[in-house]
Amino acid sequence: MSPNSGRRLGSGSLVIATHNAGKLKEISALLDPYGVKCISAGSLGLPEPAETGTTFAQNALIKARSAAEASGLAALADDSGLSVAALGGRPGVYTADWAERQWFEGAPGRDWYMAMGKVEGMLAEKGAASNGDVDRTAAFHCVLAIAWPDGEYAIYEGRCEGRLTWPPRGAMGFGYDPVFVPTGSAQTFAEIAPEEKHAISHRADAFAKLVAEQFG
Ligand code: IMP
C-alpha cells in the first residue's frame, strides 16, 4: 500500500461502504462533528464486492474503491478482525468466516461460541504439541480506507493488543469479545462497559488516526 498523500475529505458527502445499519450509525456519529454527511452504500443500492484480499487493508480498500467508483463520491470502508500470534495471525481476514455454521449443522448463520472454541482448540493443540504453555497474545485490528473516485486513497490502521482467556466471560459486546482481555485490564471486552471498550478499541485507534489526518 502506498503512503497516504495527505489529501483531505473536507466537509461534504461521504459514502459509508457498509450494509450494516449499526456501523453506519456509529461512523456517522463519529464524523458528524466535522460536517461530514454520511450516506450508506445500501441506500444508494451499491453492490457489495467480494472481499478477496488477504489483509485487512486490502479488503477495506476493495470495499471503499467499489463504492467510490459506483457512486462518484469519496467513500469510507472498514475491515476488522482478530489475529492470534500463536496461530500465525489467524483467523485474521477470516474472523467472521470462522463463525459461519455449515449447512449440516442446522440453520445457517454465525455462531461465535463455535468460533471462539475453534481458536481455543487450536491453541490447546499448540500447547500439547510443545509440551508447555502456549503464547495467548492476540490483537484486534481495524483498518479504515478512504477512496476517492479518481483512484487516490488513504489507509488508517488501528490495533488493540491483548490476550485470549478461556472460558469466555461477560455478556456485553459481540463476536470474540468474551475471550479477549485487553492489555492492562483483568476483564474481557464483554465484561467492560461499551464506553470503556470504545475508548481503547482497535476501531477507536483507527478513527483517531483518520480524524487527526483528515480533520486535524
Ligand atoms: P467485519 O469488519 O465487519 O468484516 O468484521 C470482522 C469480524 O471481526 C466481526 O464479525 C467480529 O467477529 C470480529 N470483530 C471485529 N471487531 C470486533 C470487536 O470489537 N469485538 C469482537 N469481535 C470483533
Side-chain angles (χ1 to χ4, degrees):
M1 297 286 165
S2 68
N4 298 352
S5 66
R7 183 165 172 179
R8 286 170 159 245
L9 282 171
S11 58
S13 296
L14 177 69
V15 177
I16 309 302
T18 179
H19 289 253
N20 176 328
K23 265 193 192 174
L24 175 74
K25 202 172 154 206
E26 193 181 315
I27 295 173
S28 301
L30 283 162
L31 298 180
D32 188 58
Y34 306 101
V36 177
K37 182 177 177 295
C38 295
I39 308 168
S40 78
S43 72
L44 295 176
L46 305 183
E48 278 187 87
E51 295 180 30
T52 52
T54 55
T55 65
F56 298 114
Q58 283 170 1
N59 279 341
L61 196 54
I62 286 171
K63 290 183 268 189
R65 277 194 163 145
S66 164
E69 280 163 18
S71 67
L73 296 166
L76 170 70
D78 81 326
D79 200 53
S80 60
L82 178 73
S83 96
V84 181
L87 305 183
R90 287 181 293 165
V93 292
Y94 306 107
T95 297
D97 297 343
W98 282 27
E100 218 60 64
R101 276 196 214 102
Q102 303 299 314
W103 61 270
F104 53 82
E105 288 169 328
R110 287 181 179 162
D111 181 338
W112 297 107
Y113 275 81
M114 176 187 77
M116 290 186 281
K118 181 171 174 168
V119 169
E120 185 59 26
M122 290 172 84
L123 283 179
E125 269 174 37
K126 290 261 170 202
S130 64
N131 275 329
D133 277 350
V134 67
D135 176 10
R136 302 186 69 84
T137 308
F140 272 123
H141 295 251
C142 173
V143 176
L144 296 168
I146 297 173
W148 282 270
D150 60 11
E152 209 170 311
Y153 65 91
I155 300 277
Y156 304 96
E157 309 216 21
R159 275 170 87 92
C160 181
E161 309 283 347
R163 61 176 189 82
L164 297 179
T165 188
W166 195 259
R169 301 195 315 256
M172 290 181 275
F174 67 101
Y176 295 73
D177 280 346
V179 289
F180 185 79
V181 179
T183 301
S185 173
Q187 293 176 302
T188 69
F189 258 177
E191 291 177 309
I192 63 177
E195 314 82 65
E196 220 179 304
K197 176 186 168 185
H198 292 154
I200 58 167
S201 77
H202 43 308
R203 238 173 300 283
D205 188 28
F207 265 99
K209 288 170 182 162
L210 180 149
V211 164
E213 187 170 293
Q214 291 293 324
F215 306 107

